[in-house]
Amino acid sequence: MRNYIWILLACLSAAACKQLDQEPQSTATKSAVFGTENGLKLYTNGFYNMGFLPRNSTSQDAMSDYLAVREVQNFLRPGAFAANNSSGWTWTDLRNINYFIENCNDPAVPEQVRNNYLGIARYYRAYFYMEKVKRFGNVPWIGEPLDLEDPRLNGARDSRALVMDSVLADLNFACEHILATNDPSRTTVTKWVAHAYKARVCLFEGTFRKYHPSLDLAASANSWLSEAERAASAIMANGGYTINTAGGTNLAYRQVFTSTAPVATEVLQAAVADVNLGILNEANWWWTSGTYGAKASFTRTFINTYLKLDGTPFTNEQNYQTMLFKDEVKNRDLRLKQTIRSGDYKRINNGQQVPAPPVFSYTFTGYQPIKWTLDDMYYDAGALNNNAIPLFRYAEVLLNYAEAKAELGTLSDADWANTIGVLRARAGITGGLSSKPTTADPYLIAHYFPEISDPTLLEIRRERGIELSLEGLRFSDILRWRRGELMEQQWNGFYVPALNTPLDLNEDGILDVAFYQGTRPNPVPGVTYVNVSATIGAITNSQLLKNGSSGELLWMNEIPRDWKEHMYYYPIPLNDLQRNPNLGQNPGWE
């Protein structure tokens, strides 16, 4: 089936071209495809293979504020990134989509059926353009397959307002005309997937316009936020989805990410594995390898945002800054133990369960993620994972609804209870579920959102960070909130009280790790020794303790990271700008 789809696409377009100045050429086979529903279905099925269904999206948060990774990304290093490093100015997918939209007009197919497939095509055109706008800001709006001689191929970029109004029109059409409301496999675009994506897009655009005054579009921010609210509300009222609670508060959250089949109550769309077809993901390989992945580890600054089970901030504890790992993970939001290795976490080795505290060959900070990984070590050795990867889930819908209403100033206590309250209840939190908060958390203000004083908005942002962690949405949130400075945050880890003192991280009576400087102490069997000397030989060491011989672990502290205002957009790639100077470069990247 996949091969046939691509044969059809090859017949209909010159799919090999990659620049905006090369366009598909129609052939004589159009009626064979556009004159039957099966032909329309096969063509639109091809859109799923155009990079719109990320099967390895489990690593998309590698560039975010809450993960320490192997290397500081060049984008954040002063002077290390420029237009010649940029990428993403590719348009092949758009040409294939536009070709379908222009030719899906054969009266041999009933109008309602044609509109269904047009809705899917326009959904993907909106998806395509949203990614371009997030990355580059203003881009050319191309709403039809252009002839090679068309002067628009060498024209300037269009305004953000024009492009985003066109994106919204596409999404509105998709929401209205896609017929399917339920797909048991959770692999296709349904009416509710379109609504979920519309809510995501409109929340992004509404908050981006609100918090980026230089756009001069703040006056229209609330209209986008209202669209986000309406799209999410439609799903809440009519979609039939609920938050997964199977397995209780200790299992229900992580189950959504490790289940082989999508958890149908909560997941709207997923990338589903198929062992027989060799369609698998590499989550374990990426997250448990000391060499393959980015060795991504949560920072302590972020871990501190997880509430206590009674709903109060962990950072209200007087000794939170010096609390040992074994203690700080207790009595916390139960999503914490379902997101990182802690406490009683175990793995499976040759059929036997074995204790699995954080391993410092895989983590820099001690906060080692498990959200996407399967517990059986069999899956660690390559792209072997068969867990379904949620792309849209009901939890995000609730968060989008709550944030849109909070930004509009219309969120009620009932709204809070039906969104944030529901998510926190699943996490075992008992306090503050039925009414909006009245006190702003000073930790969130000091470390994350110094310009936000509204307690409700602060808590929604806290909840979004925790609930959606590692799902590929964090950098987009940073962009739309205009909080790029978060990317400069220190990569810090758990507290180490003293050198040469082995720690039992999971209280199973077995010592796990010790930190030393200079000469390694006489080894204790089973203990991993980590050298936190300023230099190792002639090499600067990137893993240190904050106070020299004690304190928080620090990673890559010697590598400067810098965020400037122009970095909310990537530069237009140099080759594309040279090909069409009328595009103009984004300010600050000239």
Side-chain angles (χ1 to χ4, degrees), residues 468-529:
L468 302 179
S469 65
L470 308 184
E471 294 183 49
L473 299 172
R474 183 64 173 186
F475 191 64
S476 293
D477 287 346
I478 288 171
L479 295 179
R480 65 188 180 87
W481 292 332
R482 197 164 167 247
R483 289 296 298 137
E485 291 81 5
L486 291 175
M487 301 299 293
E488 299 175 349
Q489 278 195 354
Q490 196 173 62
W491 288 349
N492 56 349
F494 68 45
Y495 179 77
V496 177
L499 295 171
N500 306 320
T501 305
L503 302 174
D504 179 0
L505 300 180
N506 57 349
E507 297 185 285
D508 63 352
I510 301 172
L511 298 174
D512 300 304
V513 64
F515 301 87
Y516 71 96
Q517 293 175 352
T519 303
R520 192 180 75 165
N522 292 328
V524 175
V527 173
T528 298
Y529 286 86

Side-chain angles (χ1 to χ4, degrees), residues 49 229 243 271 364 408 410 457 589:
N49 294 314
E229 175 196 339
I243 294 300
F364 297 117
L408 290 166
T410 60
L457 198 53
W589 293 106

Side-chain angles (χ1 to χ4, degrees), residues 167-210:
V167 166
L168 182 57
D170 276 351
L171 288 173
N172 283 337
F173 186 94
C175 290
E176 180 180 354
H177 291 99
I178 293 176
L179 296 174
T181 57
N182 182 47
D183 168 20
S185 75
R186 295 297 190 266
T187 59
T188 61
V189 175
T190 65
K191 182 181 291 292
W192 302 127
V193 170
H195 276 83
Y197 186 57
K198 178 184 173 182
R200 182 188 292 181
V201 166
C202 292
L203 179 64
F204 181 95
E205 189 62 13
T207 49
F208 199 97
R209 293 185 183 202
K210 179 175 182 176

Side-chain angles (χ1 to χ4, degrees), residues 65-70 294-299 364-365 491-492 555:
D65 62 316
Y66 53 42
L67 288 181
V69 292
R70 189 185 306 279
K295 232 171 134 177
S297 319
F298 281 109
T299 65
F364 297 117
T365 66
W491 288 349
N492 56 349
W555 171 248

Side-chain angles (χ1 to χ4, degrees), residues 296-444:
S297 319
F298 281 109
T299 65
R300 195 180 203 210
T301 304
F302 178 72
I303 294 297
N304 285 341
T305 67
Y306 282 76
L307 297 171
K308 294 168 63 178
L309 284 175
D310 64 5
T312 60
F314 167 71
T315 48
N316 286 356
E317 295 287 323
Q318 287 188 350
N319 66 333
Y320 83 90
Q321 292 176 313
T322 57
M323 195 175 291
L324 297 180
F325 177 81
K326 66 182 181 62
D327 298 315
E328 68 178 335
V329 297
K330 296 176 182 175
N331 194 35
R332 301 284 292 278
D333 178 332
L334 293 176
R335 285 170 296 190
L336 180 58
K337 65 182 294 184
Q338 297 173 72
T339 303
I340 64 168
R341 294 191 182 198
S342 64
D344 57 358
Y345 177 67
K346 292 180 174 61
R347 301 208 71 199
I348 299 171
N349 186 10
N350 293 323
Q352 301 295 317
Q353 284 197 336
V354 294
V359 179
F360 273 82
S361 54
Y362 299 152
T363 179
F364 297 117
T365 66
Y367 303 111
Q368 184 177 345
I370 60 168
K371 179 169 173 173
W372 289 111
T373 59
L374 301 177
D375 295 336
D376 196 323
M377 295 182 186
Y378 160 80
Y379 297 100
D380 296 356
L384 300 172
N385 281 59
N386 59 3
N387 46 325
I389 307 301
L391 303 176
F392 290 96
R393 60 188 184 96
Y394 190 55
E396 185 199 347
V397 173
L398 297 182
L399 287 164
N400 290 344
Y401 177 82
E403 186 177 349
K405 292 208 73 175
E407 290 284 4
L408 290 166
T410 60
L411 187 79
S412 66
D413 284 342
D415 292 327
W416 174 272
N418 291 328
T419 55
I420 308 304
V422 168
L423 296 175
R424 290 185 174 178
R426 173 171 66 177
I429 294 172
T430 58
L433 304 181
S434 59
S435 58
K436 296 184 296 183
T438 56
T439 303
D441 181 3
Y443 182 87
L444 291 181

Side-chain angles (χ1 to χ4, degrees), residues 43-317:
Y43 197 122
T44 54
N45 280 350
F47 298 152
Y48 293 91
N49 294 314
M50 289 183 177
F52 296 121
L53 202 63
R55 298 192 179 278
N56 289 321
S57 63
T58 62
S59 60
Q60 285 186 345
D61 269 353
M63 191 164 87
S64 62
D65 62 316
Y66 53 42
L67 288 181
V69 292
R70 189 185 306 279
E71 296 177 345
V72 175
Q73 296 89 347
N74 282 339
F75 188 75
L76 302 173
R77 297 181 67 167
F81 195 91
N84 61 321
N85 306 115
S86 193
S87 61
W89 196 264
T90 55
W91 299 81
T92 302
D93 292 342
L94 177 65
R95 287 186 286 277
N96 289 325
I97 294 168
N98 279 341
Y99 188 87
F100 179 88
I101 293 171
E102 182 173 87
N103 290 282
C104 184
N105 53 22
D106 194 320
V109 180
E111 182 179 15
Q112 184 182 40
V113 174
R114 277 184 278 130
N115 283 341
N116 171 67
Y117 293 104
L118 281 170
I120 294 171
R122 292 184 68 171
Y123 169 91
Y124 277 116
R125 184 166 67 182
Y127 199 114
F128 174 91
Y129 261 107
M130 188 66 232
E131 292 303 302
K132 286 290 183 287
V133 170
K134 281 196 299 184
R135 190 169 180 87
F136 298 113
N138 294 352
V139 294
W141 173 260
I142 306 294
E144 56 187 301
L146 302 180
D147 294 331
L148 291 172
E149 296 79 19
D150 196 301
R152 285 176 288 177
L153 292 175
N154 294 307
R157 293 184 276 172
D158 290 304
S159 70
R160 185 187 187 103
L162 183 151
V163 172
M164 289 307 298
D165 284 348
S166 302
V167 166
L168 182 57
D170 276 351
L171 288 173
N172 283 337
F173 186 94
C175 290
E176 180 180 354
H177 291 99
I178 293 176
L179 296 174
T181 57
N182 182 47
D183 168 20
S185 75
R186 295 297 190 266
T187 59
T188 61
V189 175
T190 65
K191 182 181 291 292
W192 302 127
V193 170
H195 276 83
Y197 186 57
K198 178 184 173 182
R200 182 188 292 181
V201 166
C202 292
L203 179 64
F204 181 95
E205 189 62 13
T207 49
F208 199 97
R209 293 185 183 202
K210 179 175 182 176
Y211 293 109
H212 290 259
S214 62
L215 284 179
D216 199 24
L217 292 172
S220 59
N222 281 359
S223 66
W224 283 88
L225 293 169
S226 296
E227 291 282 359
E229 175 196 339
R230 283 192 289 270
S233 178
I235 302 170
M236 295 164 66
N238 304 302
Y241 296 95
T242 59
I243 294 300
N244 176 56
T245 56
T249 54
N250 281 308
L251 298 172
Y253 176 70
R254 186 165 176 246
Q255 184 183 67
V256 176
F257 311 101
T258 58
S259 175
T260 301
V263 178
T265 54
E266 181 169 341
V267 175
L268 283 70
Q269 188 188 21
V272 178
D274 190 315
V275 176
N276 294 326
L277 293 177
I279 300 173
L280 301 167
N281 73 73
E282 58 184 29
N284 274 49
W285 193 19
W286 201 86
W287 289 100
T288 66
S289 171
T291 56
Y292 175 63
K295 232 171 134 177
S297 319
F298 281 109
T299 65
R300 195 180 203 210
T301 304
F302 178 72
I303 294 297
N304 285 341
T305 67
Y306 282 76
L307 297 171
K308 294 168 63 178
L309 284 175
D310 64 5
T312 60
F314 167 71
T315 48
N316 286 356
E317 295 287 323

Side-chain angles (χ1 to χ4, degrees), residues 457-468:
L457 198 53
L458 283 170
E459 289 302 320
I460 289 171
R461 290 189 181 187
R462 181 206 303 271
E463 187 66 20
R464 186 176 181 90
I466 291 168
E467 176 69 29
L468 302 179

